[in-house]
Amino acid sequence: MTFTRQANADTHAALAYWTVGPCRGELRSEELPAPREGEALVRALCSGVSRGTELVVHGARVPPRIAKEMRAPHQSGDFPSPVKFGYLSVGIVEEGPRDWIGQKVFCLHPHQDRYVVPLTSLTRIPVGVPARRAVLTGIAEIALNALWEAGPRLGDRIAVVGAGLVGGMTAALLRGFPLERLQLVETDPGKRGFVESLGVDFVLPGEASQDCDIVFHCSATDEGLARSLELAGDEGEIIEMSWYGDRPVSLPLGEDFHARRLSIRASQVGVVARSRRHRRTTSERLELAVSLLRDPVFDAFLTGESPFEELPAVFDGLENGELDDLCRVINYPPTREGNQD
């Protein structure tokens, strides 16, 4: 597919991915204004597909009741479609203040090869974090916010249910806590190698230890949440990190939940967790999240890659099961000035 771009001296041509109907996406061209004071023009190097959330959007499964709350920071259009959605973009600043030119940055921006955003929307990528790995910044932010929400303590027994992108990231960050026990609970035995590469104990649901102080639920399944209720100890807490879209959830609340006085608490990255809200900004949370990615262990999450022009086919493959990635990296065409890293 060939795209022709035309722009005058005051605009820049861009190409972006849009969801245009249920399970249908396409690349659309647009013109960007030149950056104004306090803004920057970013050329994308790579972006990541956050499979769970983005497939909900791809399938037009965002509930109308919360469509406003679930907007991404630089989203265009409205749910269900047409909508330009995504939030794992890494690029390099091409125009803007002198001290920003050439800086590699993370931005919560949809899949687009160039974009103009306020400088306040950009997070500088520190030395030691490759651009490819930095697409995970938004996922690390989700996990970090959940840990702030739950407040793990010395000697806790913790289970993470669901070894997907968010569950794996949550478990990986928990490795650094002085816990008595940490288990990542997953139904697919094929994920054992991935989980063990993170330095975390892999267990099947029937093998998981009970009496947990905290259970982080990340499987987005009824069965996973029901098992989380069984794993939590008396008066324990389940941190619900899954987003189900418009799909109803059925739970046996007459069993463990009621009898053992359990709590289910939502963790949602749209706002800083209450325990840190008055002392941390969203920018500071992102800066901390990207700094955590210096550890090369996080490369295990990057399980596939495709060029930008194939992104519509990538979403089709993820939707129909032909692709099975934790995080698929989308590579944008390099310029003659240099490589992506």
Side-chain angles (χ1 to χ4, degrees), residues 46-81:
C46 48
S47 59
V49 178
S50 179
R51 176 175 178 161
T53 299
E54 293 197 60
L55 284 186
V56 170
V57 174
H58 181 68
R61 297 190 297 270
V62 178
R65 180 180 174 87
I66 60 164
K68 182 178 178 180
E69 288 79 1
M70 296 309 298
R71 290 185 65 88
H74 296 285
Q75 174 181 321
S76 294
D78 297 307
F79 300 121
S81 64

Side-chain angles (χ1 to χ4, degrees), residues 243-273:
W243 186 32
Y244 301 87
D246 60 3
R247 184 170 64 78
V249 177
S250 177
L251 281 180
L253 295 181
E255 299 177 5
D256 294 82
F257 177 75
H258 186 78
R260 298 197 291 107
R261 299 175 57 86
L262 305 180
S263 299
I264 302 175
R265 186 146 54 98
S267 178
Q268 207 278 335
V269 75
V271 294
V272 174

Side-chain angles (χ1 to χ4, degrees), residues 1-51:
M1 187 178 297
T2 301
F3 297 90
T4 301
R5 297 171 172 170
Q6 295 180 341
N8 60 42
D10 297 321
T11 63
H12 296 274
L15 197 62
Y17 177 78
W18 285 74
T19 298
V20 296
C23 300
R24 291 192 298 114
E26 66 183 27
L27 298 180
R28 291 182 172 184
S29 61
E30 59 186 83
E31 287 190 354
L32 303 174
R36 298 173 295 182
E37 184 177 355
E39 295 181 332
L41 171 69
V42 178
R43 173 173 58 84
L45 299 175
C46 48
S47 59
V49 178
S50 179
R51 176 175 178 161

Side-chain angles (χ1 to χ4, degrees), residues 54-217:
E54 293 197 60
L55 284 186
V56 170
V57 174
H58 181 68
R61 297 190 297 270
V62 178
R65 180 180 174 87
I66 60 164
K68 182 178 178 180
E69 288 79 1
M70 296 309 298
R71 290 185 65 88
H74 296 285
Q75 174 181 321
S76 294
D78 297 307
F79 300 121
S81 64
V83 61
K84 182 172 68 175
F85 185 87
Y87 51 89
L88 301 177
S89 180
V90 169
I92 188 167
V93 175
E94 291 193 323
E95 294 182 26
R98 182 175 300 177
D99 62 330
W100 281 87
I101 299 296
Q103 290 286 312
K104 290 179 182 175
V105 293
F106 173 84
C107 186
L108 296 164
H109 199 281
H111 305 281
Q112 185 166 320
D113 62 355
R114 278 181 171 80
Y115 46 88
V116 174
V117 293
L119 294 171
T120 53
S121 296
L122 301 178
T123 301
R124 296 178 193 255
I125 297 174
V127 174
V129 180
R132 187 171 182 270
R133 192 187 306 155
V135 301
L136 295 168
T137 299
I139 307 302
E141 182 190 27
I142 293 170
L144 172 61
N145 206 54
L147 299 191
W148 281 353
E149 196 78 58
R153 293 172 172 82
L154 177 68
D156 270 0
R157 303 163 184 157
I158 293 181
V160 179
V161 177
L165 184 58
V166 171
M169 181 65 71
T170 302
L173 295 187
L174 281 165
R175 294 174 310 156
F177 285 72
L179 305 175
E180 178 181 316
R181 184 179 71 221
L182 172 62
Q183 295 182 326
L184 186 39
V185 184
E186 170 58 46
T187 58
D188 180 5
K191 288 188 175 180
R192 180 182 295 273
F194 159 67
V195 172
E196 292 180 347
S197 76
L198 303 177
V200 177
D201 288 341
F202 173 95
V203 294
L204 295 170
E207 302 169 347
S209 299
Q210 298 181 330
D211 198 29
C212 292
D213 299 289
I214 306 170
V215 179
F216 294 88
H217 179 241

Side-chain angles (χ1 to χ4, degrees), residues 133 150 166 190 243-244 258 268 293 295 297 303 316 320 325 339:
R133 192 187 306 155
V166 171
W243 186 32
Y244 301 87
H258 186 78
Q268 207 278 335
L293 297 175
D295 189 341
V297 72
T303 53
D316 290 343
N320 63 30
D325 291 298
N339 296 321

Side-chain angles (χ1 to χ4, degrees), residues 17 27 47 49 111 306-316 330 332:
Y17 177 78
L27 298 180
S47 59
V49 178
H111 305 281
S306 297
F308 178 48
E309 60 267 22
E310 294 180 7
L311 190 52
V314 167
F315 273 99
D316 290 343
I330 304 303
Y332 294 76

Side-chain angles (χ1 to χ4, degrees), residues 263-304:
S263 299
I264 302 175
R265 186 146 54 98
S267 178
Q268 207 278 335
V269 75
V271 294
V272 174
R274 182 168 50 187
S275 65
R276 297 293 183 275
R277 197 171 302 162
H278 298 292
R279 298 175 300 281
R280 301 290 190 280
T281 65
T282 53
S283 294
E284 289 172 327
R285 185 177 63 182
L286 274 167
E287 289 169 2
L288 177 55
V290 72
S291 72
L292 298 171
L293 297 175
R294 288 189 175 94
D295 189 341
V297 72
F298 293 107
D299 288 336
F301 291 87
L302 308 174
T303 53

